[in-house]
Amino acid sequence: MDVDTNQDLTDEGRRIAQLFEKSPIFMAVLKGPTHVFELANEAYYQLIGHRDIIGKPLDDALPEVRGQGFDKLLDRVLQTGEPFIGREMPVLVQRTRGAAQEELFVDFVYAALTERDGTRSGVMAYGSDVTDHVRARREIERLLAESEKANEELQEQQVELELINQQLQDNAVELEAQAEELQENAADLAARTAEASRARDALAASEAQLLTLADAIPTLAWTARADGFIEWYNARWYEYTGTMPEEMEGWGWQSVHHPDTLPMVLEEWRAAIASGGFFEMTFPLRGSDGEFRRFLTRVVPLRDEKGEIARWFGTNTDVELERRALDAAEAANQAKTDFLANMSHELRTPLNAIGGYADLLDLGVHGELTDQQREAVARIRRSERHLLGLINEILNYAKLEAGTVHFDSAEVDLHETMTSAEALVAPQADARRIALTAAACTPSVEVIADAEKLLQILVNLFSNAIKFTEPGGRVDVGCEKDEGTIRINVSDTGIGIPADKLEAIFNPFVQVRADLTRPHEGTGLGLAISRELARAMNGELTVTSTPGEGSTFTLTLPLAKDS
Ligand code: ADP
């Protein structure tokens, strides 16, 4: 329809028609039940993309919108007269034939057209294309959603950041604590280092002191490694031997040893190194003057905390003078023993002659003797026997002292020896009217002893007991067995021994109240000899006494196995 040229229209109608034509709002009129296009304006054509729709029902004019529900809406509006208002309704259109369908959005109204008689002849459709608007809004919405998402992400990141921040703070606190600890440790270390350096200084000082001391002592001193290699000698070593460190180091010391003793020294020293034991030996070392002097050598191992030998400490002490003195003393002692043995022999020969001639006189070989002469000869005989006894005792004691007495240890029947001793002193006991009973010991007891020496001890004890007991007194002998030993007790009812003399009487030549004992009654050697003999036979001799009441001498001896 061309509104500008249509002569049938009034001016007003033309204006309306122009308005309709030019309106930015799309408009169309669809008539009848098949919705035939009667009118459509430019905007409508723009919307659908083509113009050949007038006089065509909806299905033919816009086949592409079939099935999108517009026909049903139109049906309803036509039937009910109720307008339909659509907002941002999507519609798929094909603006160019053959091209792809595009989606548009439209705001529109379907309003029924009513005739004067009230019948509804068609539907007026009008509205506007809001595609750009919808798209813009959707874009905004999308952007909004995106920004929201971004915001959310941001928030999440912020939470995460906060967490990280918290963690960093925690780490910082921890680091601070660690730094503090480190500082403390550093301080501690510094203190310890200072302490260690003080200890080192102290050690160095004491080491220097020890070295000075080691060099100052008159003793020769040295240290060796665990394997015996000598590393250090003190100044005195070099001074005495006149050697140099390089010739002495390790095993070089052998050059100052005497060839006679060196093999033994080497053997002992190697044995000590192998066993880790103490080394002690006396051997000669050559001095710078070429003379040998004897040295007492002691070597001790120094062990580490594991018990392994770390070092050996050795000292050589000059004992030449002591050794010479000892040698001299030994020689003197030997000379004394020799002298005593010789002297006793020399004394005994003339004494025997005295005895022999006295016997001849007594027998009347040189004529009958007067009573007075007989008495004088008897005195000569007694003195001779006493002197002989003295000489024998002195000789005995000298031999014991010199260690030249030989012991024949054997199982000895105690009862038998006891009986022999009793028989030997019986005359003496009878003379003093003293009862002696030695039968108390069981006959089967056997002791380990030298029978002769045991007899000597018993005779000495019995005769002392008789000697120091007033006539009419008693001497009892008893035995007590005790774990491998036997105690032989010789008890008397004699004068007893004062407490302060109980030990002294075992010393040679000691006699209690020598003034009271007649000179020919003893030498003061009997107990000294008896004790020496007892000890030499692994026994002992002791005494208990009460002055005025009596004494008990106890001889202890080892028992034979089955006794
Ligand atoms: P000796 O009998 O030759 O004097 P001993 O060495 O045998 O020498 O005795 C030393 C001293 O011990 C005696 O002189 C005596 O004083 C004292 N003594 C020894 N045995 C007894 C005893 N049974 N009772 C009292 N005194 C004794």
Side-chain angles (χ1 to χ4, degrees):
M1 177 178 67
D2 191 344
V3 288
D4 296 330
T5 54
N6 198 328
Q7 297 300 311
D8 299 338
L9 291 176
T10 62
D11 287 347
E12 191 185 4
R14 203 173 288 127
R15 272 199 299 276
I16 290 171
Q18 270 177 349
L19 192 65
F20 175 79
E21 193 63 24
K22 304 290 183 205
S23 165
I25 295 206
F26 66 76
M27 291 182 202
V29 174
L30 298 104
K31 281 286 185 72
T34 56
H35 318 298
V36 175
F37 279 96
E38 192 182 58
L39 280 173
N41 69 350
E42 192 54 32
Y44 195 80
Y45 296 138
Q46 288 293 319
L47 180 73
I48 62 170
H50 52 93
R51 292 174 172 274
D52 53 340
I53 55 169
I54 301 302
K56 288 182 182 173
L58 179 69
D59 276 1
D60 293 347
L62 298 171
E64 68 265 32
V65 303
R66 236 182 258 166
Q68 291 188 38
F70 293 102
D71 50 344
K72 297 232 165 53
L73 284 173
L74 287 167
D75 286 349
R76 208 177 68 205
V77 172
L78 192 64
Q79 277 164 24
T80 62
E82 294 274 323
F84 175 81
I85 298 165
R87 292 225 180 271
E88 294 177 4
M89 286 274 284
V91 54
L92 287 167
V93 294
Q94 197 165 27
R95 283 177 149 160
T96 331
R97 256 178 239 290
Q101 287 190 335
E102 59 183 294
E103 189 182 45
L104 301 177
F105 294 92
V106 288
D107 279 354
F108 70 96
V109 178
Y110 282 166
L113 292 170
T114 310
E115 296 301 311
R116 274 192 197 113
D117 60 0
T119 60
R120 285 181 289 276
S121 60
V123 177
M124 166 84 167
Y126 59 92
S128 54
D129 182 351
V130 293
T131 305
D132 289 345
H133 169 77
V134 168
R135 280 188 185 148
R137 209 192 64 234
R138 283 198 176 174
E139 186 61 17
I140 287 168
E141 278 172 1
R142 192 183 62 78
L143 287 173
L144 264 174
E146 245 172 51
S147 83
E148 209 162 291
K149 208 174 147 209
N151 199 24
E152 256 168 44
E153 265 170 36
L154 208 67
Q155 272 181 2
E156 272 169 27
Q157 280 173 358
Q158 206 163 337
V159 168
E160 228 168 275
L161 269 174
E162 247 163 64
L163 270 174
I164 290 169
N165 198 22
Q166 186 62 43
Q167 239 165 19
L168 278 174
Q169 270 181 4
D170 289 352
N171 286 353
V173 169
E174 209 171 297
L175 272 174
E176 221 166 281
Q178 278 175 0
E180 218 165 278
E181 208 172 302
L182 272 174
Q183 263 178 2
E184 273 168 28
N185 285 352
D188 198 23
L189 201 68
R192 271 196 236 170
T193 310
E195 204 173 301
S197 108
R198 270 199 299 279
R200 228 186 2 255
D201 289 351
L203 198 68
S206 81
E207 215 165 41
Q209 253 174 12
L210 276 177
L211 276 178
T212 313
L213 191 69
D215 279 340
I217 54 170
T219 308
L220 279 52
W222 46 268
T223 64
R225 294 193 315 224
D227 63 0
F229 182 98
I230 299 187
E231 307 167 294
W232 170 89
Y233 293 92
N234 69 345
R236 179 69 191 126
W237 171 278
Y238 296 115
E239 193 188 325
Y240 172 72
T241 58
T243 56
M244 300 299 287
E246 43 289 4
E247 35 174 335
M248 286 294 106
E249 197 186 53
W251 295 80
W253 47 265
Q254 295 173 46
S255 65
V256 299
H257 276 244
H258 195 283
D260 289 351
T261 45
L262 180 60
M264 215 159 66
V265 172
L266 273 171
E267 193 182 316
E268 293 272 317
W269 176 219
R270 289 206 174 103
I273 294 165
S275 69
F278 185 75
F279 173 99
E280 184 175 310
M281 213 177 164
T282 298
F283 46 73
L285 290 176
R286 195 180 49 235
S288 56
D289 56 0
E291 295 293 319
F292 280 95
R293 291 177 75 84
R294 280 167 289 182
F295 284 81
L296 166 65
T297 300
R298 286 204 171 110
V299 192
V300 285
L302 177 79
R303 290 171 191 279
D304 60 19
E305 59 278 3
K306 275 184 261 157
E308 307 273 342
I309 292 177
R311 188 159 274 131
W312 294 91
F313 279 102
T315 55
N316 312 86
T317 308
D318 188 339
V319 290
E320 187 59 34
L321 286 180
E322 288 98 309
R323 276 307 172 107
R324 281 185 196 163
L326 203 66
D327 288 351
E330 266 167 23
N333 202 39
Q334 188 55 46
K336 181 189 82 181
T337 309
D338 292 349
F339 168 78
L340 283 173
N342 289 337
M343 274 304 287
S344 345
H345 179 73
E346 299 296 324
L347 288 171
R348 268 190 292 193
T349 313
L351 265 180
N352 281 335
I354 292 171
Y357 283 107
D359 279 347
L360 288 177
L361 285 176
D362 201 30
L363 287 171
V365 174
H366 301 292
E368 270 307 302
L369 299 182
T370 63
D371 283 351
Q372 240 178 342
Q373 285 169 331
R374 202 173 294 281
E375 178 57 26
V377 168
R379 282 192 181 174
I380 291 169
R381 288 290 285 145
R382 277 205 299 275
S383 292
E384 180 261 335
R385 277 198 298 273
H386 177 60
L387 204 52
L388 198 60
L390 270 175
I391 289 166
N392 283 338
E393 272 201 4
I394 289 172
L395 187 63
N396 263 336
Y397 188 69
K399 278 188 183 165
L400 264 179
E401 274 275 273
T404 55
V405 176
H406 178 72
F407 287 83
D408 271 327
S409 272
E411 295 188 359
V412 178
D413 187 318
L414 185 58
H415 186 73
E416 215 177 276
T417 314
M418 200 93 81
T419 311
S420 303
E422 197 181 341
L424 282 173
V425 297
Q428 192 192 348
D430 288 346
R432 289 181 64 79
R433 288 184 290 108
I434 286 173
L436 181 86
T437 52
C441 287
T442 49
S444 64
V445 172
E446 290 195 327
V447 294
I448 303 290
D450 178 316
E452 208 181 295
K453 314 284 190 298
L454 174 59
L455 182 69
Q456 195 180 335
I457 299 171
L458 289 175
V459 169
N460 182 242
L461 294 180
F462 291 173
S463 80
N464 272 352
I466 296 163
K467 199 159 67 176
F468 297 104
T469 301
E470 290 303 311
R474 238 180 42 247
V475 175
D476 293 316
V477 183
C479 294
E480 288 174 274
K481 275 207 274 185
D482 184 20
E483 289 202 13
T485 60
I486 188 153
R487 282 196 297 273
I488 304 154
N489 300 310
V490 181
S491 306
D492 62 52
T493 55
I495 59 170
I497 303 156
D500 63 341
K501 289 286 190 301
L502 284 177
E503 240 343 277
I505 54 167
F506 291 101
N507 291 332
F509 308 113
V510 172
Q511 294 179 312
V512 180
R513 305 185 65 189
D515 54 316
L516 291 185
T517 51
R518 281 173 292 162
H520 63 272
E521 274 191 343
T523 57
L525 277 171
L527 286 178
I529 291 172
S530 294
R531 180 176 261 189
E532 292 271 337
L533 290 176
R535 287 182 177 174
M537 294 189 294
N538 298 317
E540 185 56 277
L541 181 61
T542 55
V543 66
T544 57
S545 180
T546 309
E549 287 185 17
S551 310
T552 299
F553 282 81
T554 303
L555 171 66
T556 310
L557 282 175
L559 273 174
K561 239 192 189 137
D562 300 324
S563 283

